[in-house]
Amino acid sequence: MKVLILGSGVIGVTSAYYLARAGHEVTVVDRQPEPALETSFANAGEVSPGYSSPWAGPGVPVKAVKWLLMKHGPLVVRPKLDPVMWVWLLKMLRNCTSARYAVNKSRMIPIAEYSRDCLRDLRRDIGIQYDERTRGTLQLFRYQAQLDGTGEDIAVLKQYGVPYEVLSREGCIAVEPALAGVKEKFAGGLRLPQDETGDCHMFTQALAKHAEALGVRFMFNTGIDRIVTDGTRLSGVATSAGMLQADAYVLALGSWSSRLVAPLGISLPVYPVKGYSITVPIKDASGAPESTVMDESYKVAITRLGNRIRVGGTAEISGFSTKLYDARRATLDHSLTDLFPRGGDLSKATFWSGLRPMTPDGPPVIGPTRYSNLHLNTGHGTLGWTMSCGSGRVLADMLSGKKPEVDVSALTVDRYQHRFG
């Protein structure tokens, strides 16, 4: 088939690669001049299936009040006269129960685990390099109460057979030696040894070249205006380069996906939640993290990417604004210098923000719609990098008439519309 993919972030490019590998004629359209220049550009760098958890969970409403009052709190809400924002927030609150958290997490871990396996296969098959490391992820708890509260997460990890280690202070230092100098600042950790790290932007650009070698055509600097339908099927996509037509269409536009399909009568529960990162050159390798350390108190991930440290965090609900706020950088600076004071040269840091496409319950939206030739691959939130290869592979199988190797029936937009309206 001829397949048109809207969006060249990591989700769009992995979809393109797997579709081309399956023998389809693929075109990718994006307004940017290159792949992965928006949300995929400078994320935290984690490939963390075991930490594939919904943000909506038990206790979150109470924690949110605390976070909003903290100097370096992980949550920021900038109120707007936007009913979509408030409806999305209410739907998220509905999911802040133990029962829904367990169900939602159970829908996220399988696609995330499958995706990590697909990524490993890609490394073996095409030798792709992206400053990858396979040394696990350490969730660091500053307080004993945080460590004691991991029971529900551990229960789900056990349910899905995800290896984990509960570590004492000394155990954390054994896997992250640079923490030895600040050992009085944390109580212990939860480590997932099978998690990985890597530069999502570097990966996406490299995979785009492999996709081109398979025949994928990329149309950059091309604005996407609207989708045209005949009532049951898409008949084309109006762009700044004219009307583009295909046999099948894949929507992978992240936070902008919901706006594009709203005129089609598709209520897609995806809303942007802004995240920030700094990228810092390593000053002292012995003082830098070995892999990813997640600072649980501030919800900040500190990741080693080659000769750089990527520090990512904050959930800012402020619509589609990508404005950079110095207060958010201060939080990232604080977490890095507090845990790895010798690691990076902050004077040479670059500061970035991106819009994570979040669903109110956590799982992404993957699969067919009421329009027979339109498929969705969006709503991955903070886990687009983690879930990208698996999501692209699943979508390619669907369009090729094959049964996906992992069950994603609970991730379709029809299921979401039935649940959320």
Side-chain angles (χ1 to χ4, degrees), residues 300-374:
V300 168
I302 306 170
T303 302
R304 186 173 187 147
L305 297 175
N307 60 359
R308 302 158 294 146
I309 300 173
R310 176 71 50 73
V311 187
T314 301
E316 180 178 305
I317 301 172
S318 58
F320 286 80
S321 168
T322 56
K323 181 179 179 180
L324 294 169
Y325 290 93
D326 289 340
R328 304 279 60 80
R329 173 169 175 173
T331 298
L332 306 178
D333 290 356
H334 171 73
S335 188
L336 176 63
T337 57
D338 202 43
L339 295 177
F340 298 96
R342 298 183 294 109
D345 186 353
L346 274 177
S347 68
K348 297 179 181 177
T350 56
F351 187 30
W352 171 88
S353 74
L355 301 178
R356 310 177 185 106
M358 301 284 290
T359 58
D361 58 345
V365 187
I366 304 173
T369 68
R370 69 181 66 173
Y371 296 90
S372 60
N373 59 346
L374 172 62

Side-chain angles (χ1 to χ4, degrees), residues 139 366 385 387:
Q139 187 176 13
I366 304 173
W385 178 207
M387 296 181 174

Side-chain angles (χ1 to χ4, degrees), residues 381-415:
T382 59
L383 298 165
W385 178 207
T386 294
M387 296 181 174
S388 57
C389 290
S391 298
R393 176 71 182 272
V394 161
L395 200 74
D397 286 344
M398 287 179 173
L399 288 174
S400 301
K402 296 172 59 179
K403 182 180 179 180
E405 295 177 336
V406 63
D407 182 13
V408 293
S409 59
L411 305 182
T412 65
V413 72
D414 285 345
R415 291 290 180 93

Side-chain angles (χ1 to χ4, degrees), residues 16-66:
Y17 173 81
Y18 284 110
L19 281 162
R21 201 174 74 172
H24 301 289
E25 182 181 335
V26 183
T27 300
V28 180
V29 183
D30 199 289
R31 65 185 179 184
Q32 295 290 351
E34 297 176 4
L37 291 187
E38 297 196 21
T39 305
S40 301
F41 182 71
N43 64 22
E46 302 167 75
V47 179
S48 300
Y51 288 116
S52 297
S53 302
W55 284 23
V60 166
V62 174
K63 290 178 183 177
V65 175
K66 176 185 175 183

Side-chain angles (χ1 to χ4, degrees), residues 39-182:
T39 305
S40 301
F41 182 71
N43 64 22
E46 302 167 75
V47 179
S48 300
Y51 288 116
S52 297
S53 302
W55 284 23
V60 166
V62 174
K63 290 178 183 177
V65 175
K66 176 185 175 183
W67 291 334
L68 289 169
L69 298 175
M70 286 171 59
K71 178 181 179 181
H72 294 298
L75 176 65
V76 177
V77 178
R78 303 188 190 280
K80 293 183 174 294
L81 294 175
D82 179 4
V84 176
M85 172 193 284
W86 298 108
V87 169
W88 186 91
L89 283 168
L90 287 172
K91 290 176 179 178
M92 182 179 178
L93 288 173
R94 284 176 51 197
N95 279 276
C96 291
T97 66
S98 295
R100 289 193 174 186
Y101 177 84
V103 169
N104 293 330
K105 183 159 185 165
S106 72
R107 292 172 173 173
M108 298 168 74
I109 286 183
I111 183 65
E113 290 275 318
Y114 176 67
S115 186
R116 188 213 36 231
D117 294 343
C118 290
L119 178 59
R120 289 176 175 174
D121 290 344
L122 269 188
R123 284 203 302 270
R124 183 196 65 222
D125 295 343
I126 63 177
I128 192 168
Q129 296 181 339
Y130 47 93
D131 278 345
E132 68 278 5
R133 287 190 168 219
T134 56
R135 301 190 184 184
T137 298
L138 175 65
Q139 187 176 13
L140 196 70
F141 302 112
R142 291 177 179 262
Y143 308 106
Q144 186 63 40
Q146 294 172 327
L147 188 59
D148 295 340
T150 59
E152 289 189 3
D153 283 333
I154 288 175
V156 177
L157 295 176
K158 287 181 178 179
Q159 178 184 351
Y160 286 93
V162 179
Y164 70 93
E165 301 169 336
V166 178
L167 301 179
S168 65
R169 180 181 288 124
E170 294 305 320
C172 293
I173 294 170
V175 296
E176 289 289 352
L179 292 173
V182 295

Side-chain angles (χ1 to χ4, degrees), residues 261-322:
V261 297
L264 308 184
I266 297 175
S267 177
L268 183 59
V270 173
Y271 194 78
V273 176
K274 183 162 61 174
Y276 293 85
S277 75
I278 55 172
T279 305
V280 185
I282 290 177
K283 180 171 60 176
D284 179 351
S286 67
E290 289 296 322
S291 186
T292 288
V293 173
M294 298 174 62
D295 186 345
E296 177 64 18
S297 293
Y298 302 112
K299 303 294 185 183
V300 168
I302 306 170
T303 302
R304 186 173 187 147
L305 297 175
N307 60 359
R308 302 158 294 146
I309 300 173
R310 176 71 50 73
V311 187
T314 301
E316 180 178 305
I317 301 172
S318 58
F320 286 80
S321 168
T322 56

